[in-house]
Each structure stands twice: as C-alpha cells, then as structure tokens.
Amino acid sequence: MPQERTLIYAGREFEVEHVRSHTHGHHEWSAPYVMASQRIVFPISRAMLDLRFGNCTWLVDGLTAISFGDATVYQLRPGARATRRSVVVSGHQRVSGDSEPAVCFLSPKLLYRVHAAQQQLRSGSDDAACIASLVGELRSARSLMPLTEPIASARRLLAETADRHAGPSLHEVADAVSRSPFHMARSFRKQTGLSLHQYRQHLRLAAAMERLVDGDRDLAGIAHDLGYCSQSHLGAVFKQEVGVTLGEARRMLDSSARI
C-alpha cells in the first residue's frame, strides 16, 4: 500500500514515525513484503486490514498492535477503502526472538497512551519515555491466535458498525456468521480474550479517541453517534476504561494544541 511516513522522533534507542497507508479499493492480497528490520506498529485509526504470515491470517483493526521481527515475510489485504494511520517504532530492543509477527490487542488505556505519546512527540517534545514504556509493556502482552473465519467475520462486523448509533446484537452477530449465540459468545472470548460486549466497547472508545484527535470538540455528538445514551454515560465509561476524563482527553489529543 502507498505510504506517507513522517519521522517524529529519532534517538539512540529507537525511531518513531507517523505512517499513513492508503488503499485504492483493491481488496486483494499484496505481493510479499520483507520487513527490513524489527518494528512495532501501533494503531491510531480504525481502518482494518488482514495480515498473512505463512498459512496463518490475522485481522488487524484499530485495537491491534503488531510486532515484526527481522526479515519477516508477510502479506497485507486492505479491508476497506480507507486511510490507515499508525505509529511505527523501529530500532528498539527485540520484543521476541521469534521471526513470526506477534499480534495483540491494546486496552483502551494503552491505546490512549499511544495517541498521547504521538501528540507529545509531534508537538516537538524530545521525551520518548512514553513510547519506551509502551514497547516494554508489549513484551508481556497476550498474543492473539490466528482467527477462525467465523470469529474474524464477527470482528469485522463489529468493527464496521462500531461508530453507528445502534450496533448489532449478539443474536444478530451470531446469525451473520451462522453460529448459535452461545457458541458465538464462547468462541469469541476463547479466541480474543474479550466478550463481544467488551470488544465493541473498546472499539467505540477507540472511535471516540480518533474523533478527538481529528479535532471533533462535540462530546455530546460523539456520545450520541457511538450509541451512548448521553455524554455523561460515555464520560463514565471513558473514565473507567481509559483512566482520564473526556475533557482531559480532548485537551491532550487536540492536534492543534501544543502539549
């Protein structure tokens, strides 16, 4: 995929880039890429893609971080016509001795820290301790298994509808992938470590963060669009899951502000 890369930090321990990857409506596998050096890709947008390594495929969404080893050979398949934005860390100490990519979920709190770290570095700060901490925590994060097709399809459906006022119910998700609600709920938690409700909640919080980064100041409008009954409802969930208030997040993530 065509990319725009902006260096936002260069130090002895690692480099950090803001990367924008563009798709053009072609939902086919790319030619094989060879990773030139180890790096970590943190998501800062919700655009989806598939990652294939060998015979295994992972769905990569706005909650998914990837750690690549040296000389990893992989392929990508865009999920939709969209711009995917990432924070890419390279030159760091190896997270794993295995050349296979490590794919894991970020909690809303960790995702917020990725956004905040990027804003801090793009504002001109030379303090990359926030990134170093995230890299360190990723070493102990739970890696995701390659997904079976029903669970991948369920995740795609939830991700595609996360920013709609009324998302699909458990029964609707199960019907869409031809599984019973009980089997769907059990298999989803087993493969992702999250319930469908938790996963959708995390996606909605990721959507809220992305809108704040993009300059949306209307907290009540964000809450309504994401299916919360009020701004205070979203604020309570945000505070519980992220650890800061919506107002604090709006100030920190405002791309026009100097941090």
Side-chain angles (χ1 to χ4, degrees):
M1 294 184 293
Q3 292 183 340
E4 300 171 16
R5 311 180 74 91
T6 303
L7 182 68
I8 58 176
Y9 175 81
R12 289 180 298 176
E13 65 276 39
F14 50 75
E15 292 185 349
V16 184
E17 294 176 297
H18 172 87
V19 178
R20 294 169 59 93
S21 303
H22 305 281
T23 63
H24 300 290
H26 303 297
H27 306 307
E28 299 178 354
W29 286 107
S30 68
Y33 294 108
V34 180
M35 186 61 66
S37 62
Q38 59 185 2
R39 63 193 59 188
I40 296 175
V41 181
F42 291 107
I44 51 172
S45 73
R46 292 169 294 120
M48 291 182 291
L49 54 82
D50 293 324
L51 166 70
R52 183 159 67 189
F53 175 82
N55 295 322
C56 298
T57 301
W58 289 264
L59 175 64
V60 179
D61 59 16
L63 302 174
T64 313
I66 316 166
S67 174
F68 290 98
D70 294 332
T72 300
V73 180
Y74 65 99
Q75 292 176 275
L76 299 176
R77 180 172 61 188
R81 185 182 178 90
T83 298
R84 181 174 174 82
R85 293 174 288 181
S86 308
V87 170
V88 178
V89 182
S90 57
H92 57 281
Q93 183 178 352
R94 182 182 295 274
V95 173
S96 171
D98 196 342
S99 63
E100 182 172 337
V103 181
C104 63
F105 278 141
L106 298 180
S107 68
K109 185 173 293 186
L110 285 180
L111 183 60
Y112 174 77
R113 287 169 53 195
V114 174
H115 279 293
Q118 183 207 210
Q119 293 300 91
Q120 184 176 12
L121 293 176
R122 297 190 80 178
S123 73
S125 172
D126 61 358
D127 181 4
C130 46
I131 293 290
S133 176
L134 287 165
V135 170
E137 290 182 49
L138 203 63
R139 294 191 179 100
S140 58
R142 176 181 181 268
S143 294
L144 290 171
M145 322 188 303
L147 297 179
T148 62
E149 184 52 37
I151 302 305
S153 296
R155 279 184 57 194
R156 285 190 184 91
L157 177 59
L158 291 172
E160 289 168 354
T161 58
D163 57 355
R164 298 180 189 174
H165 182 72
S169 67
L170 169 59
H171 284 75
E172 290 169 333
V173 173
D175 286 345
V177 299
S178 302
R179 294 293 187 273
S180 71
F182 174 78
H183 184 269
M184 181 75 258
R186 185 178 62 178
S187 298
F188 194 94
R189 182 182 287 276
K190 180 179 179 180
Q191 292 193 41
T192 67
L194 299 171
S195 69
L196 274 83
H197 173 72
Q198 288 172 319
Y199 179 65
R200 180 161 51 197
Q201 187 89 279
H202 291 187
L203 285 169
R204 286 177 169 173
L205 294 175
M209 293 181 217
E210 187 175 359
R211 288 179 60 165
L212 292 174
V213 169
D214 288 342
D216 194 336
R217 311 288 292 174
D218 183 6
L219 301 183
I222 293 173
H224 176 270
D225 293 345
L226 296 181
Y228 292 92
C229 60
S230 65
Q231 177 181 329
S232 62
H233 182 204
L234 171 59
V237 174
F238 198 94
K239 174 67 173 177
Q240 179 180 6
E241 296 287 349
V242 180
V244 301
T245 67
L246 272 174
E248 290 170 329
R250 182 171 57 183
R251 289 190 294 273
M252 173 61 77
L253 302 184
D254 184 354
S255 58
S256 66
R258 301 291 292 181
I259 299 174

